[in-house]
Amino acid sequence: QKEVEQNSGPLSVPEGAIASLNCTYSDRGSQSFFWYRQYSGKSPELIMFIYSNGDKEDGRFTAQLNKASQYVSLLIRDSQPSDSATYLCAVAYSGGGADGLTFGKGTHLIIQP
Amino acid sequence: KAGVTQTPRYLIKTRGQQVTLSCSPISGHRSVSWYQQTPGQGLQFLFEYFSETQRNKGNFPGRFSGRQFSNSRSEMNVSTLELGDSALYLCASSLGPAGGGYEQYFGPGTRLTVT
């Protein structure tokens, strides 16, 4: 059973600060990692993906992957009120019998003006 | 480039009925995955289709089925609806199968309410 764990929050961060979202996964065969943002009443929107250990930056977003610790994180710099949403971590297993993306239940992020 | 489209957007059905939901992927994408999202369970994988073949299926009863056509459009069907099937059904489109690490892009979803 592949599992993806996230702290449900809410995580409250002041505007302009760095928001740090964390995710752990159970299957060492997992090879692709994705972060989605979901606003209330909307569908998930892909914001970052990472495949290799280390950091990947895109604008205000940085994804970090540590396969040895089975840990992936998302940093949001200069947080804005519009970043308030639920952030979903998703993991894809690469190999026979892949079962789509396994999602965590999401972290609810609140950016306080 | 147009995004993923899903129809209908909203649906109200009665217990025991069946329903068919439709998904048109992004042009050029050959993989379609379906997910069920509920407040309690989060996003759960239903099945994935690639080149008209079902590659994987999640842990859902046989009442849930799907198919993919040669133009990559996909449909999912739920028979003998139960109250617990009320959920947001999301379709995701990608160039290739999820196991290949391809990014998935979601449609707006179909909100199904079973009464």
Side-chain angles (χ1 to χ4, degrees):
Chain A
Q1 179 85 11
K2 301 177 180 63
E3 294 183 347
V4 177
E5 300 289 338
Q6 295 182 256
N7 188 321
S8 62
L11 174 65
S12 187
V13 173
E15 183 176 358
I18 296 175
S20 178
L21 304 163
N22 304 313
C23 171
T24 59
Y25 58 95
S26 63
D27 195 321
R28 287 193 173 274
S30 302
Q31 296 194 8
S32 307
F33 307 87
F34 306 86
W35 282 100
Y36 287 83
R37 177 176 62 198
Q38 187 173 25
Y39 293 113
S40 181
K42 300 293 186 181
S43 62
E45 173 192 8
L46 179 66
I47 54 173
M48 288 288 287
F49 55 91
I50 186 167
Y51 306 131
S52 305
N53 275 330
D55 295 1
K56 179 182 178 183
E57 188 175 317
D58 184 1
R60 296 187 297 114
F61 298 99
T62 299
Q64 299 175 317
L65 175 60
N66 184 325
K67 288 187 177 181
S69 300
Q70 296 175 243
Y71 178 95
V72 58
S73 64
L74 179 71
L75 302 178
I76 307 174
R77 290 182 299 282
D78 188 24
S79 296
Q80 303 297 309
S82 59
D83 294 326
S84 298
T86 296
Y87 289 80
L88 301 167
C89 172
V91 174
Y93 170 73
S94 180
D99 56 357
L101 291 184
T102 301
F103 281 82
K105 292 194 175 181
T107 298
H108 184 203
L109 175 66
I110 298 171
I111 306 300
Q112 294 183 325
Chain B
K1 192 181 248 188
V4 181
T5 58
Q6 291 187 247
T7 56
R9 294 291 311 278
Y10 303 91
L11 206 49
I12 299 175
K13 289 286 188 179
T14 304
R15 264 183 310 175
Q17 288 186 313
Q18 75 165 21
V19 66
T20 299
L21 311 181
S22 180
C23 171
S24 291
I26 294 169
S27 178
H29 284 196
R30 297 168 60 194
S31 179
V32 171
S33 297
W34 288 90
Y35 298 85
Q36 181 195 67
Q37 187 174 35
T38 59
Q41 298 299 317
L43 258 168
Q44 293 187 287
F45 171 73
L46 280 158
F47 26 66
E48 178 187 29
Y49 287 88
F50 177 70
S51 294
E52 301 179 65
T53 301
Q54 185 181 90
R55 281 180 52 85
N56 299 292
K57 184 171 168 57
N59 189 25
F60 279 82
R63 300 185 296 106
F64 292 81
S65 63
R67 59 179 175 168
Q68 186 180 34
F69 302 97
S70 58
N71 61 358
S72 294
R73 190 177 69 86
S74 178
E75 289 181 346
M76 69 163 282
N77 184 77
V78 188
S79 63
T80 319
L81 284 165
E82 300 178 358
L83 294 178
D85 296 333
S86 295
L88 179 65
Y89 289 88
L90 291 159
C91 159
S93 155
S94 56
L95 281 169
Y102 293 93
E103 304 97 74
Q104 293 191 355
Y105 298 90
F106 283 88
T110 295
R111 172 75 61 184
L112 173 65
T113 301
V114 182
T115 62

